[in-house]
Amino acid sequence: MAKPVLLFLLSLVVTSHATCPRDSNNVRNQENQIHLLRPITGAAGRNIPEIDCLSWRLAVETYNLRNWGMLPSSCEDYVGHYMLGKQYRKDCEAVADVAIEYAKSLKLSGNGKEIWVFDIDETTLSNLPYYARSDVQFGALPYNATRFDEWVATGDAPAVPAVLRLYKTVLALGIKPVFLSGTKEKLRQSRISNLNKAGYRKWEKLILKGQNEPHSSVEYKSNKRTELVEAGYIIVGNIGDQWSDLIGTNVGNRTFKVPDPMYFIS
């Protein structure tokens, strides 16, 4: 897998170099820094106490901190360093290792009804070239749906190498991949092209979000997973970057979360 990882990193470095310049000394210094946050106000008007950015990321990943709107601006450098650095890749690989071990332990029925649900954004495909841009700043600036859709339409998102490895394992084991995404239905062709280019070339279903779907991601994805179960499928695994991918109804026999401190989807 060395070549895909190298290509993934090169694409991120080339795209991000103008907005995230760092020399080796700065990188070493950042690894030992505590990045303090100013107190911020949550959606319910509550004050979130001052913490360092590593603790903030832990709170996000463990679902202790919820319903936050944007990455705190004082954590932009920390999150950028994490997402473009070795630790993010190691964390994704650790998730994939556990998921693959679990997948290999399964005893399949042989009727071809076992499926593995994959989210797309920041799970199977990485939008880091977009989030590293100066007009996005790793989620420290307000979300712009138009700009993000324009990025998706390019079909240039690279694969997350660890999840691509899981996907290939799942296929080889006879488990059928299902992509379930909040991507707008109008971007279907761009998504198909991007998935194929990134190495995802076979799936049972690609489920995208239509105009009349629920606004809540939890409700939308729960509904779609319920439809799959009612059609006779068995969800043996489910992987996503958001907690909203992994909670609700019919989440599957086991769920796996890859890290994403850049945004929160409810």
Side-chain angles (χ1 to χ4, degrees):
M1 293 302 297
K3 187 174 180 181
V5 171
L6 178 60
L7 293 175
F8 175 69
L9 293 177
L10 285 174
S11 69
L12 299 185
V13 171
V14 169
T15 308
S16 309
H17 182 71
T19 55
C20 300
R22 296 181 177 87
D23 60 33
S24 58
N25 290 329
N26 285 339
V27 169
R28 284 195 295 271
N29 289 339
Q30 281 191 353
E31 287 174 346
N32 297 314
Q33 280 182 344
I34 295 176
H35 300 263
L36 293 178
L37 293 178
R38 298 184 301 276
I40 57 176
T41 302
R46 66 190 186 282
N47 287 327
I48 300 172
E50 186 175 275
I51 54 175
D52 69 68
C53 291
L54 190 151
S55 296
W56 180 85
R57 179 169 65 86
L58 177 64
V60 167
E61 294 300 342
T62 53
Y63 204 36
N64 291 327
L65 180 59
R66 307 179 186 185
N67 301 317
W68 50 280
M70 290 191 302
L71 168 71
S73 58
S74 54
C75 283
E76 177 197 341
D77 285 346
Y78 169 80
V79 169
H81 179 65
Y82 169 73
M83 294 300 296
L84 296 174
K86 292 181 180 179
Q87 192 59 53
Y88 169 68
R89 300 193 302 277
K90 288 180 178 179
D91 291 347
C92 289
E93 292 293 342
V95 175
D97 287 344
V98 175
I100 287 171
E101 182 181 7
Y102 161 72
K104 288 181 176 179
S105 74
L106 293 173
K107 294 181 179 180
L108 304 184
S109 64
N111 63 9
K113 286 295 185 178
E114 286 90 354
I115 60 173
W116 194 294
V117 175
F118 289 83
D119 175 55
I120 295 181
D121 292 302
E122 271 57 69
T123 303
T124 49
L125 297 178
S126 171
N127 296 307
L128 270 176
Y130 170 79
Y131 279 99
R133 287 169 21 178
S134 61
D135 59 346
V136 184
Q137 295 181 4
F138 298 101
L141 294 179
Y143 175 71
N144 186 305
T146 300
R147 282 203 298 260
F148 184 72
D149 286 352
E150 289 171 351
W151 156 253
V152 172
T154 68
D156 289 334
V160 176
V163 180
L164 180 59
R165 179 164 62 91
L166 170 63
Y167 162 84
K168 290 180 177 179
T169 301
V170 162
L171 269 180
L173 291 171
I175 303 168
K176 296 178 178 178
V178 169
F179 293 104
L180 173 54
S181 172
T183 302
K184 296 172 184 174
E185 178 63 39
K186 68 179 183 180
L187 294 166
R188 176 172 291 272
Q189 290 307 313
S190 296
R191 276 307 197 199
I192 291 173
S193 174
N194 200 157
L195 287 167
N196 286 335
K197 183 164 63 174
Y200 304 96
R201 300 188 178 93
K202 188 175 181 181
W203 53 78
E204 181 72 0
K205 290 181 181 292
L206 171 59
I207 304 170
L208 304 182
K209 197 169 187 177
Q211 288 186 342
N212 298 321
E213 302 289 356
H215 177 72
S216 161
S217 179
V218 173
E219 186 178 357
Y220 159 66
K221 293 201 168 185
S222 292
N223 290 348
K224 295 303 179 183
R225 289 192 302 262
T226 297
E227 290 175 7
L228 290 168
V229 171
E230 289 176 349
Y233 290 106
I234 303 167
I235 303 174
V236 295
N238 180 6
I239 187 167
D241 68 300
Q242 298 290 314
W243 280 98
S244 56
D245 300 327
L246 308 173
I247 61 176
T249 56
N250 292 306
V251 296
N253 294 350
R254 186 159 173 184
T255 62
F256 301 89
K257 186 183 184 302
V258 290
D260 182 2
M262 297 187 296
Y263 55 85
F264 179 92
I265 297 176
S266 61

